[in-house]
Amino acid sequence: ISEHEKVRKNCVYSLHQEEDSEEEPKLKYERLSNGVTEILQNDAASCMTVHDKFLALGTYCGKVFLLDIQGNVTQKFEISSVKINQISLDESGEHVGICSEDGKVQVFGLYTREGFHENFDCPIKVVALHPQFTRTNYKQFVTGGNKLLLYERNWLNRWKTTPLHEGEGSITNVQWRANLIAWSNTVGVKIYDISTKQRITNVVRDNISLRPDMYPCSLCWKDDATLIVGWGTSIKICVVKGRNPTEMRDLPSRYVEIVFAFETEFFISGLAPLADQLVTLFFVRESSDQDEEFRARPRLDIIQPLPETCEEISSDALTVRNFKNNECRDYRLEHSEGESLYYIISPKDIVVAKERDQDDHIDWLLEKKKYEEALMAAEISFKNIRRHDVQKIGMAYINHLVEKGDYDSAARKCQKVLGKNMDLWENEVYRFKTIGQLKAISQYLPRGDLRLRPAIYEMILHEFLKTDYEGFATLIREWPGELYNNMAIVQAVTDHLKKDPTNSTLLTTLAELYTYDQRYDRALEIYLRLRHKDVYQLIHKHNLFSSIEDKIVLLMDFDKEKAVDMLLDNEDKISIDKVVEELADRPELLHVYLHKLFKRDHHKGQKYHERQISLYAEYDQKNLLPFLRDSTHCPLEKVRHAKKYMF
C-alpha cells in the first residue's frame, strides 16, 4: 500500500451532493487533517505544492511546513512574517524555492546547505525551480514580481540574473516543465524556451474586465508540450509544436497551437489533467431570492474538452470550511501526477480528491440499494476482494430482499452468497423460521457433499408436514435420505396418518421413506394398496419377487397387462405353477396369464392346456379355435367336446 493510500483511511471529508442522485460520482473526497488541522486553526493556507513523497504548505503568517501524506508535520521553516506566495519543488523533491509578499526569495536544499537568499523591494508572487535543479548543469530558477527574472549559477558558483520579461504588470503565475517556462501577467500568458532562449507565444487574456488579482490565471502542464490555461471563465488548451525549418526565418523554432478553447459557467480557480479530461476547480457566485449575490460552495468538475465547447462528466459541490468568506483567488488546485490525487486548497481547509476505485463503486451501489449490481461487481473483481467482503455485500442484499418481503429471491441468493459457510447457512435457516418462511429457503439448502446438521432438515420437514403435505412429499423425493433421521420422519408421518389414514400423499411418501430405509415389504404393501404405478419399478429395482408371491391377485387387479408381463419375464423367480396356484380362485385372471404364456411359448404351460379349453370357452371364445389349432397337448376328446362352444 502506498503512502498516498494510507491517508485515505484516516481522513474525513464533507461532500455536498443530491442524496437521491442516481449518477455515480467520479471522485471521492477526504479532508486533510492531523497536523494540518492545528496549523489552520491558528493560521491560514496561502499556497501548497505537491510531491509524490510529501506536501509543502505555505501560510499567511510566513511559515512553510513539510507534511507527510497524512498531513503530519515533518519540518517547519520560518521564512517571513507575511504571506508565502508560492513554493516550488524540483522533480527529486530535494530542493525548494519559496517567495513571499515582502519580497523574500529563498532557494535551498532540504538535505544540503547550499542555498540562495535574496530580498527584493517589491512583492515576489512566483518562483519556479528547473525541474532538474538537483543536477549541476540545471541550477536555474525564475522569480516573478513586476518582472520575470532567470537565475543561473555560473562556473564561478555565482548567480547570474537575466530578465526574461517585464513591462506588462505583475507576474501572477509561473509553471516550468522540461525546457519550457510558462507564466502569466496582466496581459496574457507567455511561454519561453530556455534551450533556444526564445519566447515562442503570447496567449491573450479574454475577459479584460476581470481584475487579474481577484481572478488570477491558472496554468497547468499536462505533459512536456501541452499547457492548459484557465482565466476567468475561459479555458484554452495549447500545444507547443516544432516549426518547419523552411518557415523559420526570424521566427522561433517552436510555436503554439490552441487545440481547444471554450467558456465555462463559473470562475476558474484551478486546473489539472485527468487522462484526456480536465479536473476544474470553480469559484461559484449565486443569487438569492432577494437578488443578492453570495459565495456558494466551490465546485470540482470533471469536463471533457470538445473542439468549441466541453461536456460535463461530473460535478461536485464541496463543503469547504469558511467557503462563504472565500474569493476566487483564495482557492488553488494542486495535483500529484503519480497517484491522480487532487488537492483543493483554501485558507482554512484542504480537501483531497481521488478517483473512485472498485471498492468505492461497490459501496455506492450498496448505498443506492443496487445489491444485484454490487454483488456482480464484487464477483468480477474477486481477485482483489476478500471472500468475506463479497459475503458482506451479499448479506446486505439478502437482508434488503427479506425486508421488502421478497423471500424467494432472498432464499435463492443464499446459494450464491453463503457458499460453503455452514454457520451462515444455519443462521439464515433460523432467521427464515422466525419470520415463518422456512418453505422459501427449503429448496435452496445445501444437499451435496457439504450439508447442514440433520436437525435443520428435520425442522423444515416437520414444518411442511404441519401445513403442506404436497410440499413435504416433494422434499422427500428431492432430498437424499441421508440428510435427515429417516426413522424420526417415518414416525412423524405415521402419527399424521392416524388422523388421516387414507391420505394418498402421506401414504405414498411413507412408502418412499420405507424404500429408502430398505423396508421394501412395507413400501410394497402401500403401493399395492394405493394401486400406485411405481409398484412394478419397486419390484424390479429391489428384486422383490419373493415378496409378491401372495400378492399376485392384487397386482393383476391393479394392471393385468403389466402384472402378466412381469410374471412371464421372471419365471425363474416366480414359477408358472405358483402363479396358477395363486390365481386358482380368479379364473378370469388365470385365463389372461395362461393365454399370454401360450402366445409366448406353446409348450411351457402344456399341462394346463386342457384346463385352458374351458377358460377360453368362458372368457375368450374367439381365441379358442386358434388355441386348439396350435396346441399339441390337448386330449382329442376334449377338443371334440370344445367344438360345442364354437358353434
Side-chain angles (χ1 to χ4, degrees):
I1 187 168
S2 67
E3 288 299 316
H4 279 293
E5 187 60 26
K6 289 177 182 175
V7 68
R8 306 283 71 82
K9 303 191 180 302
N10 300 318
C11 296
V12 182
Y13 74 91
S14 175
L15 171 61
H16 175 72
Q17 290 181 312
E18 295 294 333
E19 291 184 1
D20 59 350
S21 173
E22 289 301 314
E23 184 175 347
E24 183 176 0
K26 304 295 182 183
L27 301 171
K28 59 181 177 180
Y29 300 87
E30 292 166 349
R31 179 165 283 123
L32 196 61
S33 56
N34 298 321
V36 171
T37 303
E38 185 177 349
I39 292 170
L40 299 186
Q41 284 177 346
N42 304 311
D43 202 341
S46 60
C47 62
M48 193 172 86
T49 190
V50 177
H51 191 272
D52 289 344
K53 298 176 183 176
F54 62 92
L55 312 173
L57 173 66
T59 73
Y60 274 81
C61 292
K63 299 176 179 63
V64 171
F65 297 89
L66 299 187
L67 313 167
D68 64 17
I69 307 306
Q70 287 81 20
N72 299 302
V73 177
T74 59
Q75 281 186 271
K76 175 182 175 182
F77 302 97
E78 300 276 356
I79 302 298
S80 175
S81 59
V82 295
K83 177 185 173 186
I84 302 296
N85 284 326
Q86 192 166 7
I87 303 170
S88 175
L89 296 167
D90 67 348
E91 290 180 354
S92 70
E94 296 179 9
H95 291 82
V96 60
I98 305 168
C99 64
S100 57
E101 190 69 16
D102 58 0
K104 289 182 179 177
V105 175
Q106 294 189 26
V107 178
F108 56 90
L110 294 175
Y111 310 107
T112 65
R113 295 191 176 187
E114 64 175 332
F116 170 90
H117 300 270
E118 186 70 70
N119 290 326
F120 293 85
D121 57 3
C122 67
I124 301 300
K125 300 293 185 180
V126 294
V127 61
L129 304 185
H130 190 296
Q132 302 290 327
F133 189 89
T134 301
R135 297 169 60 181
T136 304
N137 294 338
Y138 297 102
K139 297 295 184 184
Q140 299 170 311
F141 67 92
V142 293
T143 63
N146 51 25
K147 64 179 70 173
L148 186 70
L149 298 177
L150 172 66
Y151 289 82
E152 302 175 275
R153 179 173 281 176
N154 60 25
W155 63 279
L156 294 174
N157 211 29
R158 294 177 181 174
W159 290 99
K160 173 189 172 184
T161 306
T162 304
L164 298 183
H165 189 70
E166 60 183 312
E168 292 183 352
S170 179
I171 309 296
T172 57
N173 199 345
V174 63
Q175 297 293 325
W176 194 329
R177 178 78 175 234
N179 290 321
L180 299 175
I181 305 171
W183 73 93
S184 62
N185 56 27
T186 306
V187 176
V189 174
K190 280 78 174 169
I191 299 178
Y192 182 83
D193 187 342
I194 198 167
S195 62
T196 61
K197 301 187 184 320
Q198 294 175 318
R199 199 173 75 198
I200 59 177
T201 193
N202 178 34
V203 181
V204 297
R205 178 162 68 104
D206 290 335
N207 192 342
I208 59 174
S209 65
L210 295 175
R211 288 174 50 185
D213 61 326
M214 296 295 290
Y215 298 89
C217 176
S218 295
L219 297 176
C220 177
W221 287 101
K222 179 181 177 181
D223 52 45
D224 289 354
T226 306
L227 179 68
I228 307 169
V229 180
W231 210 334
T233 58
S234 171
I235 292 179
K236 296 176 181 177
I237 300 179
C238 312
V239 177
V240 179
K241 299 183 175 181
R243 198 184 299 275
N244 190 316
T246 61
E247 302 175 355
M248 287 179 58
R249 301 177 187 170
D250 296 329
L251 298 174
S253 60
R254 303 168 87 178
Y255 70 100
V256 167
E257 179 182 338
I258 299 176
V259 293
F260 295 101
F262 50 87
E263 291 293 314
T264 61
E265 184 179 358
F266 303 110
F267 297 107
I268 299 159
S269 290
L271 292 165
L274 176 60
D276 63 337
Q277 299 171 340
L278 293 180
V279 179
T280 308
L281 178 62
F282 287 120
F283 171 71
V284 181
R285 285 186 180 274
E286 294 183 353
S287 297
S288 65
D289 295 338
Q290 292 77 31
D291 291 330
E292 295 179 356
E293 279 198 344
F294 65 95
R295 298 165 187 139
R297 293 173 175 84
R299 284 179 33 164
L300 195 71
D301 288 10
I302 298 177
I303 59 177
Q304 178 68 61
L306 301 173
E308 296 181 358
T309 183
C310 65
E311 177 186 356
E312 181 185 289
I313 305 301
S314 71
S315 180
D316 298 328
L318 309 182
T319 305
V320 173
R321 292 189 182 109
N322 211 39
F323 68 89
K324 293 181 179 179
N325 297 323
N326 292 340
E327 297 284 357
C328 182
R329 64 183 176 183
D330 293 322
Y331 293 108
R332 293 179 183 236
L333 178 64
E334 299 289 339
H335 77 289
S336 168
E337 294 183 13
E339 302 205 27
S340 296
L341 294 173
Y342 301 88
Y343 294 82
I344 298 95
I345 300 105
S346 65
K348 288 296 182 180
D349 207 358
I350 299 174
V351 174
V352 188
K354 184 180 182 180
E355 287 185 271
R356 295 168 61 85
D357 57 21
Q358 185 73 348
D359 286 345
D360 300 309
H361 173 59
I362 293 170
D363 288 342
W364 183 82
L365 291 172
L366 291 173
E367 180 185 333
K368 295 299 179 181
K369 299 188 184 301
K370 298 175 183 283
Y371 297 100
E372 184 73 32
E373 295 175 49
L375 193 57
M376 289 176 61
E379 290 170 344
I380 290 170
S381 59
F382 180 70
K383 292 180 181 178
N384 300 319
I385 298 179
R386 298 188 306 272
R387 175 67 193 171
H388 170 75
D389 295 331
V390 176
Q391 281 186 337
K392 182 178 178 182
I393 294 165
M395 286 305 302
Y397 188 17
I398 292 171
N399 293 339
H400 169 70
L401 291 171
V402 168
E403 287 171 6
K404 74 174 193 175
D406 190 352
Y407 303 114
D408 183 73
S409 295
R412 187 167 59 251
K413 284 299 168 191
C414 287
Q415 283 186 312
K416 197 174 196 178
V417 172
L418 306 183
K420 301 177 181 179
N421 192 322
M422 295 300 106
D423 289 337
L424 284 180
W425 266 112
E426 293 202 3
N427 289 340
E428 283 307 294
V429 171
Y430 282 115
R431 192 247 287 257
F432 273 69
K433 181 180 187 300
T434 301
I435 60 177
Q437 292 295 328
L438 276 178
K439 292 182 180 179
I441 202 171
S442 62
Q443 59 184 309
Y444 304 109
L445 295 184
R447 60 184 75 171
D449 293 336
L450 291 168
R451 56 190 59 173
L452 307 175
R453 291 180 297 113
I456 300 296
Y457 301 98
E458 291 166 21
M459 177 176 68
I460 293 173
L461 289 172
H462 282 294
E463 179 70 19
F464 272 86
L465 196 52
K466 291 177 186 175
T467 59
D468 183 0
Y469 287 166
E470 292 295 336
F472 173 77
T474 299
L475 290 184
I476 293 299
R477 284 194 298 271
E478 293 179 352
W479 283 2
E482 63 266 18
L483 291 180
Y484 48 86
N485 184 327
N486 195 69
M487 288 304 300
I489 302 303
V490 166
Q491 185 60 52
V493 174
T494 302
D495 291 342
H496 276 264
L497 280 169
K498 291 176 182 177
K499 305 172 189 174
D500 190 3
T502 61
N503 189 289
S504 61
T505 300
L506 285 183
L507 285 168
T508 302
T509 308
L510 182 59
E512 291 173 0
L513 290 167
Y514 280 141
T515 300
Y516 177 76
D517 208 31
Q518 299 182 8
R519 290 190 281 177
Y520 303 119
D521 289 347
R522 292 199 176 187
L524 187 60
E525 287 176 7
I526 294 174
Y527 279 138
L528 288 172
R529 174 182 169 187
L530 295 174
R531 303 169 72 89
H532 197 283
K533 61 183 178 60
D534 288 346
V535 66
Y536 299 102
Q537 180 183 356
L538 180 71
I539 294 168
H540 279 289
K541 184 176 180 180
H542 301 290
N543 196 22
L544 302 180
F545 296 98
S546 61
S547 301
I548 64 169
E549 288 183 345
D550 59 347
K551 299 178 178 66
I552 293 173
V553 172
L554 287 173
L555 285 168
M556 291 194 68
D557 279 341
F558 175 29
D559 190 325
K560 291 190 288 288
E561 297 298 323
K562 276 190 177 182
V564 170
D565 286 340
M566 180 187 70
L567 293 169
L568 294 177
D569 290 340
N570 295 276
E571 289 178 40
D572 57 328
K573 300 182 179 75
I574 301 181
S575 69
I576 296 171
D577 293 341
K578 180 62 178 175
V579 175
V580 172
E581 178 187 341
E582 288 295 315
L583 297 176
D585 295 334
R586 296 290 299 275
E588 76 280 9
L589 298 179
L590 177 60
H591 166 68
V592 173
Y593 172 76
L594 290 174
H595 173 66
K596 276 207 169 189
L597 174 63
F598 180 76
K599 297 292 285 185
R600 285 197 181 192
D601 190 322
H602 292 350
H603 306 290
K604 278 191 175 180
Q606 59 184 351
K607 70 178 182 178
Y608 299 112
H609 284 193
E610 180 179 348
R611 187 174 180 182
Q612 279 185 271
I613 294 174
S614 60
L615 292 174
Y616 275 112
E618 180 73 21
Y619 302 106
D620 191 8
Q621 291 184 15
K622 67 178 181 179
N623 284 316
L624 176 56
L625 182 59
F627 170 73
L628 294 174
R629 186 177 59 241
D630 295 336
S631 173
T632 59
H633 305 289
C634 290
L636 186 59
E637 65 274 13
K638 295 291 183 182
V639 173
R640 292 193 189 102
H641 180 70
K643 288 180 180 179
K644 67 179 182 179
Y645 296 108
M646 297 183 285
F647 303 102

